[in-house]
Amino acid sequence: MKKSKAKDIAFYGIMIALAFIFSYLESFIPVNALIPIPGVKLGLANIVILFALYTNSIKQAIVIAIIRVLLAGLLFGNPMTIAYSLCGCALSLMIMWATKKTSLSIIGVSMLGGIFHNIGQLIMAVILTSTIQIAYYIPVILISGLVTGLLMGFAAKLVIERINKIKK
């Protein structure tokens, strides 16, 4: 086995485990006690996805995100949770990858990712319930995606900066 292949496998393993641990820890944070709106979460695992996107490639970020969503959905959710999360994840990753190439900072990219993750989940909800009335939820998901994206983007920025300092 080539050294680079072994490095890739190790990277995937560490990142998937870390994203999964963040998903697990997030299940203990009572966000709904502070914000009594169903589905609002911090998105701690997005720190790992941003890290992969900014330090490696979109391919690695996609693999890590999909495996994390499937594992978390199987252990902490249900098939509906997986459907909502995959739709949000796909839209979020597309937007983050596209905007990463612009002049936006990682925090701005993360904020857009948070917003579009929530929009993706709303699209899935409209599809599954066959009702557009869910659209009243848009202001809430825009604000929650903006705030959580800001927090996770800031955390990812700090992690990347610290790791870059260690590498020097």
Side-chain angles (χ1 to χ4, degrees):
M1 187 178 260
K2 291 182 184 176
K3 185 176 180 183
S4 64
K5 188 79 168 166
K7 273 184 165 180
D8 283 347
I9 292 169
F11 178 79
Y12 280 123
I14 291 167
M15 293 297 109
I16 291 166
L18 190 56
F20 182 69
I21 289 166
F22 281 161
S23 293
Y24 178 68
L25 292 175
E26 187 171 42
S27 69
F28 293 109
I29 300 171
V31 174
N32 289 67
L34 301 171
I35 306 166
I37 299 163
V40 174
K41 293 165 77 174
L42 288 176
L44 292 174
N46 198 44
I47 297 168
V48 177
I49 305 307
L50 282 164
F51 178 81
L53 185 62
Y54 272 82
T55 62
N56 289 287
S57 69
I58 183 65
K59 176 188 167 214
Q60 288 177 318
I62 290 169
V63 169
I64 294 163
I66 290 172
I67 293 173
R68 196 263 327 155
V69 165
L70 293 173
L71 286 173
L74 290 170
L75 291 172
F76 314 128
N78 55 52
M80 297 304 282
T81 312
I82 294 170
Y84 283 105
S85 293
L86 282 175
C87 190
C89 178
L91 190 55
S92 175
L93 275 170
M94 281 189 338
I95 294 300
M96 290 193 302
W97 177 69
T99 56
K100 174 190 170 216
K101 299 173 183 182
T102 68
S103 60
L104 278 178
S105 70
I106 188 171
I107 296 170
V109 169
S110 177
M111 290 167 76
L112 285 172
I115 290 167
F116 279 90
H117 182 87
N118 290 348
I119 290 172
Q121 289 186 323
L122 185 65
I123 290 168
M124 181 56 72
V126 168
I127 291 168
L128 292 176
T129 63
S130 299
T131 178
I132 195 72
Q133 284 77 18
I134 297 172
Y136 78 89
Y137 206 45
I138 287 175
V140 173
I141 65 169
L142 292 178
I143 292 168
S144 69
L146 193 68
V147 172
T148 58
L150 172 74
L151 296 171
M152 297 312 111
F154 184 71
K157 180 178 185 256
L158 288 175
V159 168
I160 291 169
E161 287 173 354
R162 298 236 169 121
I163 288 178
N164 286 339
K165 279 184 183 178
I166 293 169
K167 284 182 178 179
K168 289 181 181 181

